[in-house]
Each structure stands twice: as structure tokens, then as C-alpha cells.
Amino acid sequence: MRLLTLVLLLATMTACEQTPNWPGSLQALLESQPDRFATVLNDPERYRVQVMYTQIDRDADNKPVFKTFVYRVNPGEYFYPASTVKLPVAALALEKLHRLNRPGLNRDTTLLTDADKDFESVAESDATAPNGLPSVGQYIRKILLVSDNDSFNRLYEFLGQQAINERLRELRYFDTRIIHRLESSLSEEENRWTNPVRFVNGDEVVYEQAGAYSAASFRGGQPELLGVAEMVDGERLERPKDFSGKNAYALLDQHEFIRNLVFPGSARPQSRLDIDEDQYRFLYHYMSMYPGESGIEAYSDPEKYPDGYVKFLMFGGDAKTIPPYIRIFNKPGDAYGFLTDAAYIVDFKNKIEFILSATIYTNENQTFNDDHYEYEEVGLPFMKNLGQAIYEIELGRKREHAPDLDRFRFPDREY
């Protein structure tokens, strides 16, 4: 029913007079649509909602001009970023390969992960890869297509905790820390250690890297206490959970990362990744690809992996199909009751583009790890409705120059 409603909505939005006008602020927009947003607006502090929206206009030379609007954006208001941290790590892995600049070393070179600590694990095969072998490129595909956790962990190990965080600070992302693997029981100290790795071409070792230890600590400087209780090994502990030892990725940093990734020519030089156009295009391709388009057999079941599987904004994470002329370049995440998505959204048919990022917290009983979160009831509907509301605004927004979006088209797709 939700899919049918969305299809009908998109089909009827063909004329500007059918779309609402931009009221000048995100708060005014949300307040003007109580059917969609009343639940969250009745207590935005409880839901810890933050939203950023960037309108993009082009000049006569197709150069983008940005105007950004915010709602409750506060880097000091912590939220757990979950899988959103995978995108910067994927990009940094490509950057590291580019900077190593070794003959025979590229994103499709076989990457073997070894172990020199008893708590580390090896990776020598990948059933999803055509040749059955792991690589940086295949790990990134899996991250962007279905948010694979092990793939993130392997790139985290290739990069090293200290290198990740020092590079993020060089890129001017000061409210971000990536300090642990995902879906892993390793301690804070164990996560400071990362595995030795080898890149090989058959029997030839192309590049070898020893295991590493982060001499610097990147955990939060102050306790970040949330909730009233936590389930640990089946026992309910009556105390807030401290997230200062967890990853952090502020919404402002996420929004800026998407913008700098999509529009590197408009980024400040110090915030621009050191990768070439081929690597940018590789990221765009898989950020906007749907699992069933990948040719990977494991992701071919549309019931398990619908088009909207990792598209929270506009499509609520479950849309069976998405109109072919709409593409979403994003990386969402959900855990501990937090839902977050940061996206560059393009409508090739109607010549629309915008950047939208949002986070929301849905944990009614304020208890962590009990698997009782209101994702389906509150979080995903909010994300879906927010994306649709901004899309409707964009359909009616006047532009002096239509954008040339060819940089984001790929020959293997119909638009």
C-alpha cells in the first residue's frame, strides 16, 4: 500500500501548481504538514531530530550554487551513526590505494586479511566476487549495495584506526570519530589494533602491510550518556549507556561529506579527497545502484533486497521498486534506535537535484539492546515523508538554469 501511494504521488506531480511552495525554513515546512510530521514535532527533543537540506542552483556554466537550511542541527547532540560511517571509510580506502601508487595495485587487486592477534580474524575468500576473492572494490560494492558489516571491518583494518581519524581531521571533519568495527564484540583496546594485510596477484605479493596499533586515542572526551537502561548478556542494567567509546559522525559532517564527494570542484581544497574521476564515478555508480541491478546473485532476491533497501529518505527502506529516473546517492544507518540518512537525490526526468540529511531517535522505553525500537512506526515513516516533502518542494521550485546531470548517468541504466 505504501508503494502504491508513492507511485501515485510521483505520477501526479507533473506540474508546478500541484506542488507546495517553499515556506522559507524547514521548521515552517514541517509545521505546515501535520499529517506527516505532527508526531515528531510534538516532541522534537525526545526524538533528537536533526535535518539539513541544500537547494542547488546552477549558473549558465553549470556551476552549482548552494543554499542550506537546517532544523535542530547541533554537533553536540550525539546520535549513534551506525552504518553511515561506512561511506567515508570506503572513500578513504580508495584514496589510500591512489596514494600508494604501486604497479598492479588497484581496487580489484585481491586483498587478503591476515591476523597476528588471537582476537583478529582472517579473510581469504569472498563468495560474492566473480573470482571468489576479496578486494577493496568488492568490499565497497557490498557496503553501498546492502551495507555489509564485514566489508566495512576489512576496510577499517586496511586503513587503521589512527590513519582514519587523522585523515578525517585533515579533511576538516572535526565532529567525527571512527573507532571500532561493526557487529563485533571487540573491546575499545582491541579495536585500536588492526590486522596485517596483503594485496596479491596470484602468487605475487603486490603490497604488504603489517598490523597496526593506534597510539592515539580518539574516544569522546566527555561521557555521552543516553537512555535509562541497557541489556547486557541478557541482564538489564539500570543505568544510562555511555556512547563516548562509540563511533560518532555528526549530521553536519555527513551532509558536508556528501556535498564534497558529489561536488569536489566546489569543496575547499583541504576537504577534497585525493582520488581521480574514475574513483569518484565508481562510488557514484554503487551509491545509486539498487541491489538487484548489481549482478551479484546473493542480492538478486527482490523480497529480501528491494530497490529501496538502503534508501530511507523518500522510500522508507522498503520500496519494491523506484522510478528509474530517480537516483539516490547515499549511505544510511540504523542501530540503537537511531535512523540516519544523508543523500544527494536526483530526478533526471524533471531535472531536479538536492542534498538532504536527517537523523531521528526512536527508543520509547529508553532501553538499549532490547530490540524494541520504533523504526517502523515512527523512524522510517518520518524519513520517507521528509524526503517526499522536500521532493515536492523541488518539483515546484523555479530554476533559471536546468542542471546538466550527465556526470551522474551510467550507460548500464535507463532513465
Side-chain angles (χ1 to χ4, degrees):
M1 180 59 71
R2 287 195 290 177
L3 173 61
L4 177 60
T5 301
L6 178 55
V7 171
L8 291 173
L9 175 67
L10 294 173
T12 56
M13 291 178 187
T14 56
C16 290
E17 62 267 21
Q18 293 174 292
T19 62
N21 293 320
W22 172 241
S25 73
L26 283 167
Q27 181 161 342
L29 175 66
L30 298 175
E31 290 174 347
S32 72
Q33 301 187 29
D35 289 349
R36 283 173 162 170
F37 303 116
T39 297
V40 172
L41 284 183
N42 283 340
D43 198 348
E45 290 79 16
R46 168 186 158 197
Y47 290 107
R48 303 176 77 86
V49 177
Q50 299 183 48
V51 182
M52 294 188 70
Y53 160 48
T54 295
Q55 295 177 349
I56 305 168
D57 290 293
R58 303 280 185 150
D59 66 14
D61 297 319
N62 204 46
K63 181 179 178 181
V65 178
F66 307 101
K67 187 174 184 180
T68 298
F69 303 86
V70 302
Y71 175 71
R72 293 196 73 259
V73 171
N74 177 8
E77 184 172 272
Y78 179 84
F79 63 89
Y80 182 68
S83 292
T84 61
V85 299
K86 295 172 183 175
L87 179 59
V89 164
L92 292 182
L94 292 176
E95 183 182 68
K96 181 171 181 175
L97 290 178
H98 181 74
R99 288 182 162 185
L100 284 171
N101 193 27
R102 300 291 181 89
L105 180 61
N106 57 61
R107 64 179 179 249
D108 294 317
T109 305
T110 297
L111 167 59
L112 302 179
T113 303
D114 300 320
D116 58 7
K117 299 285 182 295
D118 59 5
F119 53 80
E120 294 175 345
S121 63
V122 303
E124 298 177 333
S125 63
D126 186 339
T128 71
N131 64 357
L133 296 171
S135 65
V136 167
Q138 191 66 2
Y139 284 144
I140 292 175
R141 292 180 185 98
K142 293 160 68 176
I143 283 171
L144 298 177
L145 289 166
V146 299
S147 199
D148 185 75
N149 285 327
D150 181 69
S151 294
F152 164 81
N153 294 344
R154 298 311 177 181
L155 298 186
Y156 175 91
E157 291 158 358
F158 166 51
L159 290 165
Q161 186 192 99
Q162 186 162 342
I164 290 171
N165 290 282
E166 288 179 348
R167 181 60 179 142
L168 288 170
R169 279 150 182 74
E170 289 175 0
L171 290 166
R172 322 307 286 176
Y173 301 110
F174 295 115
D175 294 301
T176 298
R177 61 176 183 264
I178 300 177
I179 57 176
H180 61 81
R181 298 163 176 87
L182 298 178
E183 206 172 33
S184 166
S185 60
L186 298 186
S187 67
E188 286 186 43
E189 177 65 17
E190 289 167 338
N191 273 304
R192 293 172 73 165
W193 291 96
T194 45
N195 307 38
V197 302
R198 290 172 291 137
F199 287 85
V200 301
N201 182 7
D203 294 330
E204 176 192 1
V205 176
V206 178
Y207 172 73
E208 192 167 13
Q209 177 180 287
Y213 178 76
S214 179
S217 172
F218 296 94
R219 80 182 326 269
Q222 300 293 330
E224 290 166 329
L225 305 176
L226 291 174
V228 299
E230 178 183 12
M231 300 297 295
V232 178
D233 297 328
E235 180 183 358
R236 180 182 172 91
L237 303 181
E238 300 290 343
R239 49 129 175 91
K241 181 175 179 62
D242 184 2
F243 283 87
S244 59
K246 292 291 188 179
N247 294 333
Y249 190 15
L251 196 72
L252 179 60
D253 282 0
Q254 295 200 30
H255 197 85
E256 286 295 297
F257 192 89
I258 288 286
R259 176 178 146 173
N260 292 336
L261 182 65
V262 173
F263 299 101
S266 298
R268 295 173 298 179
Q270 64 267 38
S271 297
R272 197 175 300 145
L273 291 164
D274 185 13
I275 59 177
D276 60 24
E277 181 64 11
D278 176 68
Q279 303 289 45
Y280 277 115
R281 291 272 294 172
F282 176 74
L283 289 171
Y284 302 158
H285 195 200
Y286 287 97
M287 287 171 73
S288 61
M289 182 180 285
Y290 305 128
E293 296 176 322
S294 67
I296 297 175
E297 179 63 28
Y299 307 151
S300 63
D301 182 355
E303 294 301 315
K304 185 176 181 180
Y305 296 113
D307 283 1
Y309 184 70
V310 289
K311 308 300 178 187
F312 293 174
L313 293 165
M314 284 191 72
F315 297 98
D318 65 353
K320 298 288 187 185
T321 59
I322 294 176
Y325 52 87
I326 292 179
R327 289 287 166 170
I328 301 178
F329 303 75
N330 73 317
K331 183 68 204 79
D334 62 282
Y336 294 121
F338 293 98
L339 278 166
T340 306
D341 200 355
Y344 170 61
I345 299 176
V346 174
D347 178 338
F348 291 96
K349 176 182 174 182
N350 293 295
K351 301 287 188 180
I352 289 170
E353 58 175 343
F354 60 96
I355 303 172
L356 182 62
S357 305
T359 187
I360 186 171
Y361 175 54
T362 58
N363 187 7
E364 175 72 24
N365 66 12
Q366 296 295 302
T367 301
F368 294 104
N369 293 327
D370 67 348
D371 292 327
H372 292 156
Y373 306 119
E374 294 73 49
Y375 294 135
E376 299 291 337
E377 299 84 357
V378 179
L380 288 169
F382 173 80
M383 289 289 190
K384 177 179 177 179
N385 288 333
L386 177 66
Q388 290 182 16
I390 296 296
Y391 178 77
E392 291 161 10
I393 292 293
E394 287 287 322
L395 277 173
R397 199 168 67 80
K398 301 293 185 182
R399 292 168 172 79
E400 184 176 355
H401 302 283
D404 180 348
L405 300 169
D406 285 349
R407 185 164 181 259
F408 307 105
R409 292 180 184 270
F410 294 90
D412 59 345
R413 298 176 185 168
E414 296 182 1
Y415 294 93

